[in-house]
Amino acid sequence: MSSETTPAISIRGLKKDFGPLQVLKGIDLDLYRGEALGIIGPSGSGKSTFIRCMNMMEAPTAGEITVLGKKVGKGFRSRGDKIGIGELRRRVGMVFQHFNLYPHRTVLHNVTMGPVIVQKKSETEATELAMGLLSQVGLAEKRDAYPNHLSGGQKQRVAIARALAMEPDVMLFDEVTSALDPELVGEVLQVIERLVDKGMTMALVTHEMAFAADVASRVIFMDGGVIAESGDPSVVLHNPESERLKTFLARFHK
C-alpha cells in the first residue's frame, strides 16, 4: 500500500436502490494509491453496481464518493474541492465485461478517439501514445484491424489500452474475463498483472480466485449489498471467518 495518506477513492455510506430493491446497503471503503483491490462475491451481491458507482456509471442513491481528495457529484464543475463527471471518468478509467469497442473503427482509432476528442491531443501525439499502449498489451500489429476480426481476448486487451490512453489515476475492471473463452482468460490477466507490477491503482471485480490471491493487495467479499469480509488475500481467501464466505469459496475448489 502506498504511503500516501489521501486515498485515491474514498467512499462513505454508499447506498444504491433500483426501485424497491436495495442493492448497496451502506458501504465504507478507502482505495489507496498503488493498491490493487480484489472484489469477490456471489451473483447479486452488488459487486458490479458498487464498482460502477465508483465512477458514476451508476448514480448512488445516498453516500459520498471522494476521488483524489475531491468530492464527486452530478452537476459539479471540476474546481476547488469538487470534481465533475467528465473529469472523474478521465481520472478513473473503466473496462467492462463486453469490450464496448466501436466495431466500424480500427483498433488504433478506438484507442486514439478519447485522447483526441476529450483531451484535445493532436492525431500524431495520440497515435504515438496509442501505439505505445498497444505494444504494452501485445497488439501493435493489429493497429489497422477491426474489432470483428479480433478474438475476445484481443478485444479486451484493446479495451484496456483504450482506457489507459486517457492516462487515468485509477483503473476499474468489472469481470473483464467473464465473457471470454477459458483459453483466452490468461492473456488478459497477464496485462492486468503487468499494470499491478507498475503500481497502477485499481479495483477489480473478479471470479478468478487464484488471480486475486496472486495480484491483489487486499480482497473484499461482498454479500447482500455490504462488505462482509475484508483483508489480506492470504487471510480472506485461505482462512475465511464466515461460513458464508467458506461456502462461496468452496465452489472454486471442486
Side-chain angles (χ1 to χ4, degrees):
M1 187 178 297
S2 169
S3 61
E4 291 276 3
T5 56
T6 302
I9 299 179
S10 184
I11 294 166
R12 293 293 180 269
L14 184 67
K15 297 181 180 180
K16 177 61 181 179
D17 301 340
F18 292 99
L21 179 63
Q22 191 176 33
V23 177
L24 301 178
K25 301 177 181 178
I27 291 178
D28 297 334
L29 179 81
D30 289 325
L31 175 66
Y32 288 91
R33 302 180 202 209
E35 184 175 25
L37 177 71
I39 304 173
I40 65 171
S43 297
S45 61
K47 305 183 303 296
S48 289
T49 299
F50 178 42
I51 205 168
R52 289 170 69 87
C53 284
M54 284 191 195
N55 77 340
M56 299 292 282
M57 295 295 293
E58 294 286 356
T61 304
E64 183 173 289
I65 300 175
T66 303
V67 173
L68 303 170
K70 297 186 177 185
K71 185 177 177 181
V72 175
K74 282 197 169 182
F76 284 3
R77 288 191 172 187
S78 295
R79 59 187 180 188
D81 63 350
K82 295 182 179 180
I83 186 171
I85 301 301
E87 179 69 6
L88 169 70
R89 291 182 184 158
R90 190 194 72 74
R91 289 177 171 269
V92 182
M94 189 160 186
V95 183
F96 303 89
Q97 293 182 23
H98 296 291
F99 327 128
N100 294 351
L101 299 177
Y102 293 100
H104 302 302
R105 299 187 185 276
T106 64
V107 163
L108 180 62
H109 200 179
N110 266 278
V111 178
T112 59
M113 284 179 68
V116 169
I117 295 171
V118 178
Q119 296 180 312
K120 309 302 180 185
K121 291 184 184 291
S122 69
E123 290 283 353
T124 300
E125 189 179 8
T127 297
E128 182 178 346
L129 172 65
M131 288 307 300
L133 290 168
L134 288 172
S135 295
Q136 189 175 324
V137 301
L139 289 173
E141 77 285 358
K142 297 291 187 179
R143 57 170 290 168
D144 296 321
Y146 288 86
N148 288 344
H149 297 153
L150 303 178
S151 70
Q154 290 172 331
K155 290 176 186 177
Q156 196 60 287
R157 285 187 280 156
V158 173
I160 293 172
R162 180 180 61 181
L164 291 171
M166 296 300 290
E167 301 172 301
D169 297 289
V170 180
M171 285 284 286
L172 307 177
F173 297 94
D174 185 13
E175 292 278 23
V176 294
T177 61
S178 65
L180 301 180
D181 292 332
E183 66 269 19
L184 302 178
V185 168
E187 65 188 65
V188 175
L189 296 183
Q190 284 178 358
V191 171
I192 297 174
E193 189 167 3
R194 287 197 293 270
L195 294 176
V196 172
D197 291 341
K198 290 182 177 182
M200 170 65 75
T201 306
M202 67 175 68
L204 57 154
V205 174
T206 184
H207 61 274
E208 302 288 342
M209 296 302 133
F211 180 70
D214 287 341
V215 306
S217 47
R218 179 165 47 125
V219 170
I220 63 173
F221 170 61
M222 292 189 64
D223 190 34
V226 299
I227 296 175
E229 289 194 40
S230 174
D232 187 276
S234 63
V235 176
V236 175
L237 298 176
H238 300 297
N239 191 25
E241 295 179 1
S242 68
E243 288 302 318
R244 185 74 182 92
L245 179 51
K246 289 176 184 177
T247 300
F248 171 75
L249 291 172
R251 300 184 315 171
F252 299 92
H253 298 299
K254 291 180 179 179

